[in-house]
Structures are given as structure tokens and as C-alpha cells.
Coordinates of all heavy atoms in Angstrom, one line a residue:
M16 N 146.9 27.9 151.5 CA 146.0 26.9 151.1 C 144.8 27.6 150.5 O 144.3 27.1 149.3 CB 145.6 26.1 152.3 CG 145.0 24.7 151.9 SD 146.2 23.7 151.0 CE 145.4 22.2 150.9
R17 N 144.2 28.5 151.0 CA 143.0 29.2 150.5 C 143.4 29.8 149.1 O 142.6 29.8 148.3 CB 142.6 30.2 151.5 CG 141.1 30.2 151.7 CD 140.6 31.3 152.6 NE 140.0 30.6 153.9 CZ 139.6 31.5 154.8 NH1 139.8 32.7 154.8 NH2 139.1 31.0 156.0
K18 N 144.6 30.4 149.1 CA 144.9 31.1 147.9 C 145.0 30.2 146.7 O 144.6 30.4 145.6 CB 146.3 31.7 148.1 CG 146.3 33.2 147.6 CD 147.8 33.7 147.8 CE 148.0 35.2 147.4 NZ 149.2 35.8 147.7
K19 N 145.6 28.9 147.0 CA 145.7 28.0 146.0 C 144.3 27.4 145.4 O 144.1 27.3 144.2 CB 146.4 26.7 146.5 CG 147.1 25.9 145.4 CD 147.8 24.6 146.1 CE 148.3 23.7 145.0 NZ 148.9 22.5 145.6
D20 N 143.3 27.3 146.4 CA 142.1 26.9 146.0 C 141.4 27.9 145.1 O 140.8 27.6 144.1 CB 141.1 26.8 147.3 CG 141.3 25.5 148.0 OD1 142.1 24.6 147.4 OD2 140.8 25.3 149.1
H21 N 141.6 29.1 145.4 CA 141.1 30.3 144.6 C 141.6 30.2 143.2 O 140.9 30.4 142.2 CB 141.4 31.5 145.3 CG 140.7 32.7 144.7 ND1 139.3 32.9 144.9 CD2 141.0 33.7 143.9 CE1 138.9 34.0 144.3 NE2 139.9 34.5 143.6
R22 N 142.9 29.9 143.1 CA 143.6 29.9 141.8 C 143.0 28.7 140.8 O 142.8 28.8 139.7 CB 145.1 29.7 142.0 CG 145.9 30.6 140.9 CD 147.3 30.2 141.0 NE 148.0 30.6 142.2 CZ 149.2 30.1 142.6 NH1 149.9 29.3 141.8 NH2 149.7 30.5 143.8
I23 N 142.8 27.6 141.6 CA 142.2 26.4 140.9 C 140.8 26.8 140.4 O 140.5 26.5 139.3 CB 142.3 25.2 141.8 CG1 143.6 24.7 142.0 CG2 141.5 24.1 141.1 CD1 143.9 23.7 143.0
Q24 N 140.1 27.4 141.2 CA 138.7 27.8 140.8 C 138.8 28.7 139.7 O 137.9 28.6 138.8 CB 138.1 28.5 142.1 CG 136.6 28.2 142.2 CD 136.1 28.7 143.6 OE1 136.6 29.6 144.2 NE2 135.0 28.0 144.0
D25 N 139.7 29.6 139.8 CA 139.9 30.5 138.6 C 140.1 29.8 137.3 O 139.6 30.1 136.2 CB 141.0 31.6 138.9 CG 140.5 32.9 139.4 OD1 139.3 33.0 139.6 OD2 141.3 33.8 139.6
L26 N 141.0 28.9 137.4 CA 141.4 28.1 136.2 C 140.3 27.3 135.7 O 140.0 27.3 134.5 CB 142.6 27.2 136.6 CG 143.2 26.3 135.5 CD1 144.1 27.2 134.6 CD2 144.0 25.2 136.0
I27 N 139.4 26.7 136.6 CA 138.3 25.9 136.2 C 137.2 26.8 135.5 O 136.8 26.4 134.4 CB 137.7 25.2 137.3 CG1 138.6 24.1 137.8 CG2 136.3 24.6 137.0 CD1 138.3 23.5 139.2
S28 N 137.0 28.0 136.1 CA 136.0 28.9 135.4 C 136.5 29.4 134.1 O 135.7 29.6 133.1 CB 135.6 30.0 136.3 OG 136.8 30.7 136.8
T29 N 137.9 29.5 133.9 CA 138.4 30.0 132.7 C 138.2 28.8 131.6 O 137.8 29.2 130.5 CB 139.9 30.3 132.9 OG1 140.1 31.3 133.8 CG2 140.5 30.9 131.5
I30 N 138.5 27.6 132.0 CA 138.2 26.5 131.1 C 136.8 26.4 130.7 O 136.5 26.2 129.5 CB 138.8 25.2 131.8 CG1 140.3 25.2 131.9 CG2 138.3 24.0 130.9 CD1 140.9 24.2 132.8
I31 N 135.9 26.4 131.6 CA 134.6 26.4 131.4 C 134.1 27.5 130.4 O 133.4 27.3 129.4 CB 133.6 26.5 132.7 CG1 133.8 25.1 133.5 CG2 132.2 26.7 132.4 CD1 133.4 25.2 134.9
A32 N 134.6 28.8 130.7 CA 134.3 29.8 129.8 C 134.8 29.6 128.4 O 134.0 29.8 127.4 CB 134.9 31.1 130.3
Y33 N 135.9 29.1 128.2 CA 136.4 28.8 126.9 C 135.6 27.7 126.1 O 135.3 27.7 125.0 CB 137.9 28.3 127.0 CG 138.9 29.4 127.0 CD1 139.8 29.7 127.9 CD2 139.0 30.2 125.7 CE1 140.7 30.7 127.9 CE2 139.9 31.3 125.7 CZ 140.7 31.5 126.8 OH 141.6 32.5 126.7
A34 N 135.3 26.6 127.0 CA 134.5 25.5 126.4 C 133.1 26.1 126.0 O 132.6 25.7 124.9 CB 134.2 24.5 127.5
V35 N 132.5 27.0 126.7 CA 131.2 27.5 126.4 C 131.2 28.4 125.1 O 130.5 28.2 124.2 CB 130.6 28.3 127.6 CG1 129.5 29.2 127.1 CG2 130.2 27.4 128.7
I36 N 132.4 29.0 125.1 CA 132.4 29.9 123.8 C 132.9 29.1 122.6 O 132.3 29.3 121.5 CB 133.6 31.0 124.0 CG1 133.1 32.0 125.1 CG2 134.0 31.7 122.8 CD1 134.3 32.8 125.7
S37 N 133.7 28.1 122.8 CA 134.2 27.3 121.5 C 133.3 26.1 121.2 O 133.4 25.7 120.0 CB 135.6 26.9 121.7 OG 135.7 26.0 122.9
A38 N 132.4 25.7 122.1 CA 131.6 24.6 121.8 C 130.8 24.7 120.6 O 130.8 23.9 119.6 CB 130.8 24.2 123.0
P39 N 130.1 25.9 120.5 CA 129.2 26.0 119.3 C 130.0 26.1 118.0 O 129.6 25.5 116.9 CB 128.5 27.4 119.4 CG 128.6 27.6 120.9 CD 129.9 26.9 121.4
I40 N 131.2 26.6 118.1 CA 132.1 26.6 116.9 C 132.6 25.4 116.5 O 132.5 24.9 115.3 CB 133.3 27.6 117.2 CG1 132.8 29.0 117.4 CG2 134.3 27.7 116.0 CD1 133.9 30.0 118.1
V41 N 132.9 24.5 117.5 CA 133.4 23.2 117.2 C 132.3 22.3 116.5 O 132.4 21.7 115.6 CB 134.0 22.6 118.5 CG1 134.2 21.1 118.3 CG2 135.3 23.2 119.0
I42 N 131.1 22.5 117.1 CA 129.9 21.8 116.7 C 129.7 22.1 115.2 O 129.4 21.3 114.3 CB 128.7 21.9 117.6 CG1 128.9 21.2 118.9 CG2 127.4 21.4 116.8 CD1 128.0 21.6 119.9
L43 N 129.6 23.5 115.0 CA 129.5 23.9 113.6 C 130.5 23.4 112.6 O 130.1 22.9 111.5 CB 129.5 25.4 113.6 CG 129.0 26.2 112.4 CD1 127.4 26.1 112.4 CD2 129.5 27.6 112.4
V44 N 131.7 23.4 113.0 CA 132.8 22.9 112.2 C 132.5 21.4 111.8 O 132.7 20.9 110.7 CB 134.2 23.1 112.8 CG1 135.3 22.5 112.0 CG2 134.5 24.6 112.7
V45 N 132.3 20.7 113.0 CA 132.1 19.2 112.8 C 131.0 18.9 111.9 O 131.0 18.1 111.0 CB 131.9 18.6 114.1 CG1 131.4 17.1 114.0 CG2 133.2 18.5 115.0
V46 N 129.8 19.7 112.0 CA 128.5 19.5 111.3 C 128.9 19.8 109.7 O 128.5 19.1 108.9 CB 127.4 20.3 111.8 CG1 126.3 20.4 110.8 CG2 126.8 19.7 113.1
M47 N 129.6 21.0 109.6 CA 129.9 21.3 108.2 C 130.8 20.3 107.5 O 130.6 20.0 106.3 CB 130.6 22.7 108.2 CG 129.6 23.9 108.2 SD 130.4 25.4 108.4 CE 131.2 25.6 106.9
A48 N 131.8 19.8 108.2 CA 132.8 18.8 107.7 C 132.1 17.5 107.4 O 132.3 16.9 106.4 CB 133.9 18.5 108.6
F49 N 131.1 17.2 108.3 CA 130.3 16.0 108.0 C 129.4 16.0 106.8 O 129.4 15.1 106.0 CB 129.4 15.7 109.3 CG 128.8 14.4 109.1 CD1 129.6 13.1 109.3 CD2 127.4 14.2 109.0 CE1 129.0 11.8 109.3 CE2 126.8 13.1 109.0 CZ 127.5 11.8 109.1
S50 N 128.7 17.2 106.6 CA 127.9 17.4 105.5 C 128.6 17.4 104.2 O 128.2 17.0 103.2 CB 126.9 18.6 105.6 OG 127.8 19.8 105.6
C51 N 129.8 18.1 104.3 CA 130.7 18.1 103.1 C 131.2 16.7 102.7 O 131.0 16.3 101.5 CB 132.0 18.9 103.5 SG 132.1 20.5 102.4
F52 N 131.5 15.9 103.7 CA 131.9 14.6 103.5 C 130.8 13.7 102.9 O 131.0 12.9 101.9 CB 132.5 13.9 104.8 CG 132.8 12.5 104.7 CD1 133.9 12.0 104.1 CD2 131.9 11.5 105.3 CE1 134.2 10.7 104.0 CE2 132.2 10.2 105.2 CZ 133.3 9.7 104.6
E53 N 129.6 13.9 103.4 CA 128.4 13.2 102.9 C 128.2 13.6 101.3 O 127.9 12.7 100.6 CB 127.2 13.6 103.7 CG 127.1 12.8 105.0 CD 126.9 11.3 104.8 OE1 125.8 11.0 104.2 OE2 127.7 10.5 105.2
K54 N 128.3 14.9 101.0 CA 128.1 15.3 99.7 C 129.1 14.6 98.8 O 128.9 14.1 97.7 CB 128.3 16.9 99.6 CG 127.1 17.5 99.0 CD 127.3 19.0 99.0 CE 126.3 19.8 99.8 NZ 126.6 21.2 99.8
V55 N 130.4 14.8 99.2 CA 131.5 14.2 98.4 C 131.3 12.6 98.2 O 131.4 12.0 97.1 CB 132.9 14.5 99.1 CG1 134.0 13.7 98.4 CG2 133.2 16.0 98.9
K56 N 130.8 12.0 99.2 CA 130.7 10.6 99.2 C 129.6 10.2 98.2 O 129.7 9.3 97.5 CB 130.3 10.0 100.6 CG 130.7 8.6 100.9 CD 130.3 8.2 102.3 CE 128.9 7.7 102.4 NZ 128.5 7.2 103.7
N57 N 128.5 11.0 98.3 CA 127.3 10.7 97.4 C 127.7 10.9 96.0 O 127.5 10.1 95.1 CB 126.3 11.8 97.7 CG 125.4 11.2 98.9 OD1 125.5 10.1 99.2 ND2 124.6 12.1 99.4
T58 N 128.5 12.0 95.6 CA 128.8 12.2 94.2 C 129.9 11.2 93.7 O 129.8 10.6 92.6 CB 129.4 13.7 94.0 OG1 130.2 14.0 95.1 CG2 128.2 14.6 93.8
V59 N 130.9 10.8 94.6 CA 131.9 10.0 94.2 C 131.5 8.5 94.1 O 131.7 7.8 93.2 CB 133.1 10.1 95.1 CG1 134.2 9.1 94.8 CG2 133.8 11.5 94.8
T60 N 130.8 8.0 95.1 CA 130.5 6.7 95.3 C 129.3 6.2 94.3 O 129.4 5.2 93.6 CB 130.0 6.3 96.7 OG1 130.9 6.9 97.6 CG2 130.0 4.8 96.9
F61 N 128.2 7.0 94.2 CA 127.2 6.6 93.5 C 127.2 7.1 92.1 O 126.5 6.5 91.2 CB 125.9 7.1 94.2 CG 125.7 6.3 95.5 CD1 125.8 7.2 96.7 CD2 125.6 5.0 95.6 CE1 125.7 6.6 97.9 CE2 125.5 4.4 96.9 CZ 125.6 5.2 98.0
H62 N 127.8 8.2 91.8 CA 127.8 8.8 90.4 C 129.3 9.2 90.1 O 129.8 10.2 90.3 CB 127.0 10.0 90.4 CG 125.6 9.9 91.0 ND1 124.8 9.0 90.5 CD2 125.0 10.4 92.0 CE1 123.7 8.9 91.2 NE2 123.7 9.9 92.1
S63 N 129.9 8.2 89.4 CA 131.2 8.5 88.9 C 131.2 9.4 87.7 O 130.1 9.5 87.1 CB 131.9 7.2 88.6 OG 131.4 6.8 87.2
P64 N 132.1 10.2 87.5 CA 132.0 11.1 86.4 C 131.9 10.5 85.1 O 131.5 11.1 84.0 CB 133.4 11.9 86.4 CG 134.2 11.4 87.5 CD 133.5 10.2 88.2
F65 N 132.1 9.1 84.9 CA 131.9 8.4 83.7 C 130.6 7.9 83.5 O 130.2 7.4 82.5 CB 133.0 7.3 83.6 CG 134.4 7.8 83.8 CD1 135.0 7.5 85.0 CD2 135.0 8.6 82.8 CE1 136.4 7.9 85.2 CE2 136.3 9.0 83.0 CZ 137.0 8.8 84.2
E66 N 129.8 7.9 84.6 CA 128.4 7.4 84.5 C 127.6 8.3 83.6 O 127.6 9.5 83.8 CB 127.8 7.3 85.9 CG 126.5 6.5 86.0 CD 126.0 6.3 87.4 OE1 126.8 6.6 88.3 OE2 124.9 5.9 87.5
K67 N 126.8 7.7 82.7 CA 126.0 8.5 81.8 C 124.7 8.9 82.3 O 124.0 8.2 83.1 CB 125.8 7.6 80.5 CG 126.7 7.9 79.5 CD 126.2 7.2 78.1 CE 127.0 7.5 76.9 NZ 126.6 7.0 75.7
K68 N 124.3 10.1 82.0 CA 123.0 10.5 82.4 C 122.0 10.1 81.3 O 122.2 10.1 80.1 CB 123.0 12.1 82.5 CG 123.5 12.5 83.8 CD 122.8 13.7 84.3 CE 123.1 14.1 85.7 NZ 122.3 15.1 86.2
V69 N 120.7 9.8 81.8 CA 119.7 9.5 80.9 C 118.5 10.4 81.1 O 118.5 11.2 82.1 CB 119.2 8.0 81.1 CG1 120.3 7.0 80.7 CG2 118.7 7.8 82.6
Y70 N 117.5 10.4 80.2 CA 116.5 11.3 80.1 C 115.1 10.5 80.4 O 115.0 9.5 79.9 CB 116.4 12.1 78.9 CG 117.8 12.9 78.9 CD1 118.9 12.3 78.1 CD2 118.0 14.1 79.5 CE1 120.1 13.0 78.0 CE2 119.3 14.7 79.3 CZ 120.3 14.2 78.7 OH 121.6 14.7 78.5
Y71 N 114.2 11.2 81.1 CA 113.0 10.5 81.4 C 111.8 11.5 81.6 O 112.1 12.7 81.9 CB 113.1 9.6 82.5 CG 113.2 10.2 83.8 CD1 112.1 10.4 84.7 CD2 114.5 10.8 84.2 CE1 112.3 11.0 86.0 CE2 114.5 11.4 85.5 CZ 113.5 11.5 86.3 OH 113.6 12.2 87.5
T72 N 110.6 11.1 81.5 CA 109.5 11.9 81.9 C 108.8 11.2 83.1 O 109.0 10.0 83.2 CB 108.5 12.1 80.8 OG1 108.1 10.8 80.3 CG2 109.1 12.9 79.6
V73 N 108.0 11.9 83.8 CA 107.4 11.4 85.0 C 106.4 10.3 84.7 O 106.5 9.3 85.3 CB 106.7 12.5 85.8 CG1 105.9 11.9 87.0 CG2 107.7 13.5 86.3
D74 N 105.6 10.4 83.6 CA 104.6 9.4 83.4 C 105.0 8.4 82.4 O 104.1 7.6 81.9 CB 103.2 10.1 83.0 CG 103.5 11.4 82.1 OD1 104.3 11.3 81.2 OD2 102.9 12.5 82.5
D75 N 106.2 8.4 82.0 CA 106.8 7.4 81.0 C 107.4 6.3 81.7 O 108.2 6.6 82.7 CB 107.7 8.1 80.0 CG 107.8 7.4 78.8 OD1 107.2 6.3 78.5 OD2 108.6 7.7 77.9
E76 N 107.3 5.0 81.3 CA 108.0 4.0 82.0 C 109.5 3.7 81.4 O 110.1 2.8 81.9 CB 107.2 2.7 82.0 CG 106.9 2.3 80.5 CD 106.1 1.0 80.5 OE1 106.6 0.0 81.0 OE2 105.0 0.9 79.8
F77 N 109.8 4.4 80.4 CA 111.2 4.3 79.8 C 112.0 5.4 80.2 O 111.6 6.5 80.4 CB 111.0 4.3 78.3 CG 110.0 3.2 77.8 CD1 108.8 3.7 77.2 CD2 110.2 1.9 77.9 CE1 107.8 2.7 76.7 CE2 109.3 0.9 77.4 CZ 108.2 1.4 76.8
Y78 N 113.3 5.1 80.1 CA 114.4 6.1 80.0 C 115.0 6.3 78.7 O 115.2 5.2 78.0 CB 115.4 5.9 81.2 CG 116.2 4.9 81.1 CD1 117.4 4.8 80.2 CD2 116.0 3.7 81.9 CE1 118.3 3.8 80.2 CE2 116.9 2.6 81.7 CZ 118.0 2.6 80.9 OH 118.8 1.6 80.9
H79 N 115.6 7.4 78.4 CA 116.1 7.6 77.1 C 117.5 8.0 77.1 O 117.9 8.8 77.9 CB 115.2 8.7 76.3 CG 113.8 8.5 76.4 ND1 113.2 7.8 75.3 CD2 112.9 8.7 77.2 CE1 111.9 7.7 75.6 NE2 111.7 8.3 76.8
V80 N 118.3 7.4 76.3 CA 119.7 7.7 76.2 C 120.0 9.0 75.6 O 120.9 9.7 76.0 CB 120.5 6.5 75.5 CG1 122.0 6.8 75.4 CG2 120.2 5.1 76.1
S81 N 119.2 9.3 74.7 CA 119.3 10.5 73.9 C 118.2 11.5 74.3 O 117.1 11.1 74.4 CB 119.3 10.2 72.2 OG 119.0 11.5 71.7
K82 N 118.6 12.8 74.4 CA 117.6 13.8 74.8 C 116.7 14.2 73.5 O 115.7 14.7 73.7 CB 118.3 15.0 75.2 CG 117.5 15.9 76.2 CD 118.3 17.2 76.6 CE 117.4 18.0 77.6 NZ 118.2 19.1 78.0
D83 N 117.3 13.9 72.4 CA 116.5 14.1 71.1 C 115.8 13.0 70.6 O 115.3 13.0 69.5 CB 117.6 14.6 70.0 CG 118.5 15.6 70.5 OD1 118.0 16.6 71.1 OD2 119.8 15.5 70.4
C84 N 115.6 12.0 71.5 CA 114.6 10.8 71.1 C 113.3 11.3 70.7 O 112.7 12.2 71.3 CB 114.6 9.9 72.3 SG 113.5 8.5 72.0
P85 N 112.8 10.7 69.5 CA 111.4 11.1 69.1 C 110.4 10.9 70.0 O 109.4 11.5 70.0 CB 111.3 10.2 67.8 CG 112.5 9.5 67.6 CD 113.5 9.8 68.7
A86 N 110.5 9.9 71.0 CA 109.6 9.5 72.0 C 109.4 10.7 73.0 O 108.4 10.9 73.7 CB 109.8 8.2 72.7
L87 N 110.4 11.6 73.1 CA 110.4 12.7 74.0 C 109.9 14.0 73.5 O 109.6 15.0 74.2 CB 111.8 13.0 74.6 CG 112.4 11.9 75.6 CD1 113.9 12.3 75.9 CD2 111.7 11.9 76.9
K88 N 109.6 13.9 72.2 CA 109.1 15.1 71.5 C 107.9 15.8 72.0 O 107.7 17.0 72.2 CB 109.0 14.9 70.0 CG 110.3 15.3 69.2 CD 110.1 15.1 67.7 CE 111.4 15.4 67.0 NZ 111.2 15.1 65.5
D89 N 107.0 14.8 72.4 CA 105.6 15.4 72.9 C 105.7 15.8 74.4 O 104.6 16.3 74.8 CB 104.5 14.3 72.6 CG 104.5 14.0 71.1 OD1 104.6 14.9 70.3 OD2 104.1 12.9 70.7
S90 N 106.7 15.4 75.0 CA 106.8 15.7 76.5 C 107.3 17.1 76.7 O 108.3 17.5 76.1 CB 107.7 14.7 77.2 OG 107.4 13.4 76.7
D91 N 106.6 17.8 77.5 CA 107.0 19.1 77.8 C 108.1 19.4 78.9 O 108.7 20.2 79.0 CB 105.8 20.2 78.1 CG 104.7 19.4 78.8 OD1 104.0 18.7 78.2 OD2 104.5 19.8 79.9
R92 N 108.0 18.3 79.8 CA 109.0 18.3 80.8 C 109.9 17.0 80.9 O 109.4 15.9 81.1 CB 108.3 18.4 82.2 CG 108.1 19.8 82.6 CD 107.7 20.0 84.1 NE 108.1 21.3 84.5 CZ 108.7 21.8 85.5 NH1 109.4 20.8 86.2 NH2 108.9 23.0 85.7
V93 N 111.2 17.2 80.4 CA 112.1 16.1 80.4 C 113.1 16.2 81.6 O 113.7 17.3 81.6 CB 112.8 16.0 79.0 CG1 113.8 14.9 79.0 CG2 111.7 15.8 78.0
Y94 N 113.2 15.2 82.4 CA 114.2 15.3 83.4 C 115.4 14.4 83.1 O 115.3 13.4 82.3 CB 113.6 14.7 84.7 CG 112.3 15.4 85.1 CD1 111.1 15.0 84.7 CD2 112.4 16.6 86.0 CE1 110.0 15.7 85.2 CE2 111.3 17.2 86.4 CZ 110.0 16.8 85.9 OH 108.9 17.5 86.4
S95 N 116.6 14.8 83.8 CA 117.7 14.0 83.5 C 118.1 13.4 84.9 O 117.9 13.9 85.9 CB 118.9 14.8 83.0 OG 119.2 15.8 83.8
A96 N 118.7 12.1 84.7 CA 119.1 11.5 86.0 C 120.2 10.4 85.6 O 120.4 10.0 84.5 CB 117.9 10.7 86.7
Y97 N 120.9 9.9 86.7 CA 121.8 8.8 86.4 C 121.0 7.6 86.2 O 120.0 7.3 86.9 CB 122.8 8.7 87.6 CG 123.7 9.8 87.6 CD1 123.5 11.0 88.5 CD2 124.9 10.0 86.8 CE1 124.4 12.0 88.5 CE2 125.7 11.0 86.7 CZ 125.6 12.1 87.6 OH 126.3 13.1 87.6
K98 N 121.5 6.7 85.4 CA 120.9 5.4 85.1 C 120.5 4.6 86.4 O 119.5 4.0 86.4 CB 121.8 4.6 84.2 CG 121.0 3.7 83.1 CD 122.1 3.3 82.2 CE 121.6 1.9 81.5 NZ 122.7 1.4 80.5
G99 N 121.5 4.6 87.3 CA 121.3 3.8 88.5 C 120.1 4.3 89.4 O 119.6 3.6 90.2
E100 N 119.7 5.5 89.2 CA 118.6 6.1 90.0 C 117.3 5.6 89.4 O 116.2 5.8 90.1 CB 118.7 7.7 89.9 CG 119.8 8.1 90.8 CD 120.0 9.6 90.6 OE1 119.7 10.2 89.6 OE2 120.3 10.3 91.6
L101 N 117.2 5.2 88.1 CA 116.0 4.8 87.5 C 115.8 3.4 87.3 O 115.6 2.9 86.3 CB 115.8 5.5 86.1 CG 116.0 7.1 86.1 CD1 116.1 7.7 84.8 CD2 114.8 7.8 86.9
K102 N 115.8 2.7 88.5 CA 115.9 1.2 88.4 C 114.5 0.7 87.9 O 114.3 -0.4 87.3 CB 116.3 0.6 89.8 CG 117.8 0.5 90.0 CD 118.1 0.1 91.3 CE 119.6 0.2 91.5 NZ 119.9 0.3 92.9
E103 N 113.4 1.4 88.2 CA 112.1 1.0 87.8 C 111.7 1.3 86.4 O 110.7 0.7 86.0 CB 111.0 1.5 88.8 CG 110.8 3.0 88.6 CD 111.8 3.9 89.3 OE1 112.8 3.3 89.9 OE2 111.5 5.1 89.5
K104 N 112.5 1.9 85.7 CA 112.3 2.2 84.3 C 113.1 1.4 83.4 O 114.2 0.9 83.7 CB 112.6 3.7 84.0 CG 111.6 4.7 84.7 CD 111.8 6.1 84.2 CE 110.9 7.1 85.1 NZ 109.6 7.0 84.8
T105 N 112.5 1.2 82.2 CA 113.2 0.2 81.3 C 113.7 1.1 80.1 O 113.2 2.2 79.8 CB 112.2 -0.8 80.7 OG1 111.1 -0.2 80.2 CG2 111.9 -1.9 81.7
P106 N 114.7 0.7 79.3 CA 115.4 1.6 78.3 C 114.3 1.6 77.1 O 113.7 0.7 76.8 CB 116.6 0.8 77.9 CG 116.4 -0.6 78.5 CD 115.6 -0.5 79.6
C107 N 114.3 2.8 76.6 CA 113.5 3.1 75.5 C 114.0 2.4 74.2 O 115.2 2.3 73.9 CB 113.4 4.6 75.2 SG 112.9 5.1 73.5
E108 N 113.1 1.7 73.5 CA 113.5 0.9 72.3 C 114.0 1.8 71.1 O 114.8 1.4 70.3 CB 112.4 0.0 71.9 CG 112.2 -1.1 72.8 CD 110.9 -1.9 72.4 OE1 110.3 -1.7 71.3 OE2 110.5 -2.8 73.1
Q109 N 113.5 3.0 71.1 CA 113.9 3.9 70.0 C 115.2 4.5 70.0 O 115.8 4.7 69.0 CB 112.8 5.0 69.9 CG 111.5 4.6 69.4 CD 110.5 5.8 69.3 OE1 110.7 6.6 68.4 NE2 109.4 5.8 70.0
C110 N 115.8 4.7 71.2 CA 117.1 5.3 71.2 C 118.1 4.4 71.9 O 119.3 4.8 72.0 CB 117.0 6.7 71.9 SG 116.3 6.7 73.5
S111 N 117.8 3.4 72.6 CA 118.8 2.6 73.3 C 119.7 1.8 72.4 O 120.8 1.6 72.8 CB 118.1 1.7 74.3 OG 117.2 0.8 73.6
E112 N 119.2 1.4 71.2 CA 119.9 0.6 70.3 C 121.1 1.3 69.7 O 122.1 0.7 69.3 CB 119.0 -0.1 69.3 CG 118.2 -1.1 69.9 CD 117.2 -1.7 68.9 OE1 117.2 -1.3 67.7 OE2 116.3 -2.5 69.3
K113 N 121.0 2.5 69.5 CA 121.9 3.4 68.8 C 123.2 3.6 69.6 O 124.3 3.8 69.1 CB 121.4 4.8 68.4 CG 120.4 4.8 67.4 CD 119.7 6.2 67.2 CE 118.4 6.1 66.5 NZ 117.8 7.5 66.4
N114 N 123.1 3.5 71.0 CA 124.1 3.8 71.9 C 124.8 2.6 72.5 O 124.0 1.5 72.6 CB 123.7 4.8 73.0 CG 123.5 6.2 72.4 OD1 124.3 7.0 72.4 ND2 122.2 6.4 72.0
Ligands
LIG211 ZN1 114.0 7.1 73.6

């Protein structure tokens, strides 16, 4: 009887040891898989490859379809973003009509 108890105790401590060793690895894999999934979800759901990028400056209320728009000539910093991200900006009159 005592021998059997000892064996069960051995088994339990072995399981605990394995759990302690593998837990951080499992957590790391789960976190990595989750962040990967989030990244893929963000790119696929919100920005399809067919979605057009537009150009804008920080202090301008317009977004530009063309990077070569004359209105952007005086701006030293032009950023690009997906149209859906710039909901507060309106299309520029100079380049929106051509496209
Ligand atoms: Zn423009």
C-alpha cells in the first residue's frame, strides 16, 4: 500500500514538473498565435488589398488621391493612409475629380 502511494506521488510530481516547464512555452505560443491572428485580422478585414491609399498632411483638412497633387507641393511631410482611416478629412477638390 505504501509503495503504491509513493508511486502516485512520484507521478503527480512528474506531472507538476512537466506543467511548470511547459506552461511558459504554451503561454508564449498562445500569445504569439493570438497576436498573429490579430495582425492578420486587421490587415484583411479593414484593409483589403484593393483598398486605395490616400495622402494627407497633419494640418490639412483634405486627403489627396494623388501624391503629386499641387496642393501637397508646399507640404514637407506627406503621410499615406487608407481612406477609411481618414473619416474626418474631406477629399481634395484639385485631385479627387481626376480619379
Ligand atoms: Zn489634392
Side-chain angles (χ1 to χ4, degrees):
M16 202 56 174
R17 225 184 243 173
K18 226 179 182 180
K19 203 184 173 188
D20 279 353
H21 193 72
R22 221 190 291 164
I23 288 165
Q24 215 166 30
D25 262 2
L26 187 72
I27 289 167
S28 53
T29 306
I30 289 167
I31 289 169
Y33 271 120
V35 165
I36 292 165
S37 58
I40 298 165
V41 170
I42 289 166
L43 193 75
V44 167
V45 167
V46 166
M47 275 173 69
F49 187 73
S50 64
C51 241
F52 173 73
E53 280 291 299
K54 233 183 241 175
V55 168
K56 204 178 91 180
N57 278 346
T58 37
V59 171
T60 314
F61 300 114
H62 310 300
S63 77
F65 306 106
E66 193 176 350
K67 261 193 175 178
K68 277 212 164 191
V69 293
Y70 304 93
Y71 70 101
T72 57
V73 174
D74 35 49
D75 202 5
E76 58 177 309
F77 306 109
Y78 67 79
H79 307 269
V80 178
S81 166
K82 206 180 181 178
D83 306 312
C84 174
L87 286 172
K88 264 184 182 172
D89 298 327
S90 317
D91 35 287
R92 270 196 166 232
V93 177
Y94 301 93
S95 69
Y97 291 99
K98 212 169 157 182
E100 288 175 324
L101 302 169
K102 277 171 187 163
E103 70 276 10
K104 291 190 189 290
T105 49
C107 161
E108 287 174 7
Q109 289 186 64
C110 59
S111 61
E112 284 172 11
K113 292 175 196 166
N114 291 271

